[in-house]
Amino acid sequence: MTWQNDGEACRIQFATHEEIDDAVLRYWPEDDDKDLTTTIVKRGWAFIDGGEGHHTVYLHNLESRSLEKETIYMYQVGSVKGEETFWSDIYTFHTPSEDDSFEFVATGDMGTSNAVSMPNLLRVANQHRYDFIAFAGDQAYDMADFNGTKGDEYMNFVQDIYATIPVMAAPGNHEYTYNFSHYKNRFSINPYLESGFEDPTMYSFDYKSLHLVSFSSEVFFDQGSPEQIQTALHWLNEDLTKANANRHQRPWIMVFAHRPLYCSPSESEDCTWKANTMRYGRNDTDLGGLEALFLKHRVDAYICGHRHNYERTYPVAHDQRVATSYYQPPSYFQLVVGNAGNFQGTDSFVNDTVPIADWSALRYEGYGFSTIKVSPTKLYISHYQSLPKDGTLGQMVDRVVVRKSRYPPIAGSRRVFCNNMEESGQMKTSATASCILHP
């Protein structure tokens, strides 16, 4: 399940092992089973895994009509075969409240083995408190394994979560097989067409006071060509330009993707040349990376995984801490949330020879998940332990509040520091500009 903008409608995908005649969605408010709405879609498509077994599943995408606010809906999907309709179990989901604030879950890097946070994610889904999960890549480890049957296993494994709370996913390096075919097909309900991108690997959506962008970090590595990098950066620049012009309605801009721009310890290749590639771009192109765009468009936060731990940075730019306060921060900060649980275990921060950089505000090596409450003027960020013995909820290991004024000033009215030189007027427009905005 995924949202459309502001939770006005949802999309639901289900799979069958046989071709069917029609796919059906029926849903109704929990307290009014007479208000039944039915959506019918003709048969979906055959997704054939790229392995030797040519494992095939049939995927079906359904979309609700406009949904009422502050409502718990019950729903079923059905497979029509001849004169019979075979119905799924009944699931529930909730729609956005009338309040101007909301909460969502941020996590990443979870497989079917050692999925320590699975019980907690199921619990938060059933609470109807959190409005969606932002999943920062690497699911299943890997969906294409065992001729693609691992993808079926994983989707069945997470079904009770993914059918109850919308999951807004980003692709990771463990989704790359067969040109990301499993991700592109199994997450084709991502709102990419509305976002003006060509496939489900990148999209954005609006939700109350937040503009959230899902970006594919993998375009910078072996799976991406210079042409694809150029397309991705052009799309991101255009998307963030529109979002920045709409700050009066959506004051917060967050981007999430799989790989970090900053991480510890600094001798890890993920935290050295790979992080530099994410920040500044690939050496074989002059197209730039993500950091210049984040600074140019005043992105507030970047959420990622890949490193199997939790780390929060201070506001950061150009590999330097630019503030220790989260009140009107002059730059974006980053959250690594790749500790949901997978067969590889967690990543250590221990290093006796390389000091931790001063931009690293807090580090946690265990398993867990993050929650973010968004209001027009504040972000409340929390990180909770998932206890490795049985996946139960542990203590809160991090809590920080980010504050800003309700209506941020226009970029042209702020002082701009580019490459350590102060300039007046408008921000540089080059994708490779290196600027920090100061109130």
Side-chain angles (χ1 to χ4, degrees):
M1 174 184 290
T2 60
W3 282 134
Q4 293 193 52
N5 282 337
D6 285 314
E8 294 176 351
C10 67
R11 290 188 179 128
I12 295 167
Q13 182 187 87
F14 73 97
T16 58
H17 287 294
E18 297 180 4
E19 192 171 8
I20 62 176
D21 297 327
D22 294 305
V24 184
L25 167 66
R26 64 183 184 188
Y27 57 98
W28 60 96
E30 185 181 44
D31 58 357
D32 187 4
D33 58 7
K34 294 181 181 179
D35 188 13
L36 179 69
T37 303
T38 302
T39 301
I40 300 177
V41 173
K42 296 299 180 183
R43 67 174 63 90
W45 70 98
F47 167 49
I48 304 172
D49 174 71
E52 294 180 357
H54 303 297
H55 174 68
T56 302
V57 293
Y58 297 87
L59 299 175
H60 316 278
N61 290 353
L62 296 134
E63 185 173 313
S64 75
R65 299 190 178 103
S66 294
L67 299 168
E68 294 294 326
K69 293 283 184 70
E70 290 195 28
T71 302
I72 294 179
Y73 281 94
M74 308 181 77
Y75 77 95
Q76 290 176 291
V77 294
S79 302
V80 180
K81 189 83 169 178
E83 299 298 318
E84 290 191 88
T85 301
F86 303 91
W87 292 102
S88 71
D89 292 339
I90 295 175
Y91 294 94
T92 63
F93 68 95
H94 74 275
T95 56
S97 70
E98 296 284 359
D99 190 12
D100 62 4
S101 65
F102 71 96
E103 294 181 84
F104 72 96
V105 175
T107 192
D109 298 76
M110 187 173 77
T112 57
S113 174
N114 197 39
V116 177
S117 291
M118 176 73 173
N120 282 320
L121 296 179
L122 181 59
R123 177 182 55 82
V124 299
N126 288 323
Q127 283 180 334
H128 296 298
R129 170 180 172 179
Y130 301 95
D131 286 11
F132 58 87
I133 296 175
F135 202 108
D138 275 12
Q139 303 185 64
Y141 291 89
D142 295 2
M143 290 187 188
D145 284 357
F146 307 110
N147 283 310
T149 60
K150 188 62 173 291
D152 295 347
E153 178 190 358
Y154 176 79
M155 297 308 288
N156 287 327
F157 179 65
V158 298
Q159 178 171 280
D160 288 346
I161 299 173
Y162 286 32
T164 303
I165 182 171
V167 175
M168 314 307 294
N173 57 296
H174 280 276
E175 276 87 58
Y176 82 93
T177 307
Y178 310 129
N179 191 28
F180 297 90
S181 65
H182 276 265
Y183 182 89
K184 290 176 180 178
N185 281 271
R186 295 181 186 273
F187 292 89
S188 59
I189 53 177
N190 289 341
Y192 67 98
L193 291 174
E194 298 90 330
S195 308
F197 200 70
E198 59 191 15
D199 65 50
T201 60
M202 301 193 204
Y203 61 92
S204 66
F205 75 107
D206 293 323
Y207 201 91
K208 296 191 179 182
S209 56
L210 172 67
H211 181 74
L212 185 63
V213 183
S214 174
F215 187 84
S216 175
S217 59
E218 303 316 295
V219 74
F220 289 114
F221 297 93
D222 294 339
Q223 292 76 41
S225 67
E227 292 74 21
Q228 289 172 318
I229 296 172
Q230 184 175 38
T231 297
L233 291 176
H234 175 77
W235 172 81
L236 181 61
N237 184 58
E238 292 292 310
D239 184 271
L240 293 177
T241 297
K242 294 175 185 176
N244 217 5
N246 198 34
R247 291 276 191 172
H248 63 286
Q249 185 176 2
R250 321 276 184 184
W252 299 102
I253 299 176
M254 297 186 194
V255 178
F256 75 108
H258 183 57
R259 296 178 189 255
L261 276 67
Y262 294 91
C263 59
S264 306
S266 59
E267 85 280 3
S268 165
E269 65 175 16
D270 289 328
C271 308
T272 52
W273 71 267
K274 290 183 179 180
N276 285 336
T277 298
M278 289 289 295
R279 292 202 299 269
Y280 307 124
R282 273 202 338 221
N283 291 332
D284 62 340
T285 77
D286 60 357
L287 297 170
L290 293 183
E291 186 165 79
L293 289 177
F294 288 2
L295 298 174
K296 171 185 174 184
H297 296 291
R298 297 181 293 156
V299 168
D300 296 290
Y302 176 62
I303 302 170
C304 59
H306 194 59
R307 295 293 293 173
H308 303 149
N309 50 39
Y310 172 77
E311 184 171 20
R312 169 171 55 84
T313 74
Y314 289 113
V316 64
H318 316 309
D319 202 20
Q320 295 181 355
R321 184 182 69 194
V322 297
T324 56
S325 170
Y326 295 88
Y327 176 71
Q328 296 280 79
S331 181
Y332 72 98
F333 63 94
Q334 178 189 270
L335 299 174
V336 176
V337 295
N339 59 342
N342 65 80
F343 74 97
Q344 296 166 308
T346 58
D347 290 332
S348 173
F349 294 105
V350 174
N351 186 302
D352 295 330
T353 61
V354 181
I356 297 294
D358 65 0
W359 44 252
S360 182
L362 187 140
R363 298 164 301 285
Y364 164 62
E365 290 186 5
Y367 299 99
F369 64 98
S370 291
T371 65
I372 302 176
K373 182 177 180 180
V374 183
S375 79
T377 58
K378 295 183 181 70
L379 302 176
Y380 299 87
I381 297 168
S382 305
H383 193 78
Y384 297 90
Q385 288 179 319
S386 293
L387 299 179
K389 182 177 180 180
D390 55 7
T392 55
L393 183 66
Q395 66 182 0
M396 181 189 296
V397 298
D398 191 22
R399 175 76 164 177
V400 68
V401 181
V402 186
R403 295 177 174 88
K404 66 161 68 175
S405 59
R406 192 173 187 91
Y407 299 109
I410 299 171
S413 66
R414 305 173 81 186
R415 293 158 59 214
V416 180
F417 290 82
C418 298
N419 296 324
N420 298 319
M421 295 180 64
E422 185 173 354
E423 298 184 357
S424 60
Q426 297 295 323
M427 176 72 77
K428 288 183 178 180
T429 57
S430 168
T432 58
S434 301
C435 304
I436 304 174
L437 286 157
H438 293 264

